[in-house]
Amino acid sequence: MKRMSMLLAGLLLAAVATGCMSGEAADGFNAINADRAGNGVGTLGEHGDLVAKAEGWAAHLANASGGRCGLETLVHSNLKDGAPGGWQNLGENVGCRIATSDIASNVGPLEVAFMNSPHHRENILNGWFNKGGVAFAAVPAAGAPGMLAVYEVQEFARV
């Protein structure tokens, strides 16, 4: 009985420790795993360091964008900054779009855009990656009242 209680406590602690993403980020992460499963690739596990890295970089991109979305505002982070200890391989997808006033309605379209881009698709479907993290950030779009510049960052690692 004591062993079963310890096992259940350990499983609960593991679920809480890895349950960092919520809302749109969790939806984005689930979309990645759905694409991986649909292509015969194992799912990613969530990693807190990769979530924090994605959150920080998404906020940086949005805040530095001036409300614009384009190649001039989409830059990658230094992959090693904020990477989890023991990593063997790293990858990152960054994307943005000008859209209506909520982030949630942009999760699906951004994932479709990533999957339609060969390099982004390669990161998503890379079976070597076993951990990931996703974040979104948005700012009002420049010159487009009621619109947002929505940024998504997807982080991948082999840990």
Side-chain angles (χ1 to χ4, degrees):
M1 182 69 161
K2 186 175 181 179
R3 182 179 292 175
M4 180 63 106
S5 295
M6 289 176 57
L7 176 62
L8 289 174
L11 289 173
L12 179 60
L13 180 60
V16 169
T18 60
C20 301
M21 289 183 288
S22 62
E24 295 88 0
D27 292 343
F29 195 72
N30 290 337
I32 289 169
N33 276 328
D35 283 334
R36 287 172 67 93
N39 285 277
V41 180
T43 59
L44 295 173
E46 182 179 327
H47 195 291
D49 290 344
L50 295 171
V51 173
K53 179 175 176 49
E55 289 171 343
W57 198 246
H60 168 77
L61 290 174
N63 292 330
S65 73
R68 291 178 297 282
C69 174
L71 293 178
E72 70 281 356
T73 64
L74 285 173
V75 294
H76 287 276
S77 70
N78 178 340
L79 288 179
K80 293 178 185 178
D81 290 348
W87 65 269
Q88 298 173 18
N89 198 10
L90 300 170
E92 178 178 76
N93 288 342
V94 297
C96 67
R97 71 190 301 254
I98 302 295
T100 58
S101 62
D102 73 8
I103 293 173
S105 64
N106 292 287
V107 173
L110 280 164
E111 183 64 15
V112 168
F114 282 138
M115 288 298 288
N116 286 333
S117 165
H119 180 69
H120 295 105
R121 180 184 179 89
E122 182 181 304
N123 276 339
I124 291 168
L125 299 181
N126 184 334
W128 181 247
F129 293 134
N130 64 352
K131 300 291 180 185
V134 172
F136 291 86
V139 294
M147 302 293 278
L148 294 174
V150 178
Y151 281 82
E152 179 178 5
V153 175
Q154 301 176 338
E155 301 290 348
F156 306 93
R158 174 75 179 185
V159 180

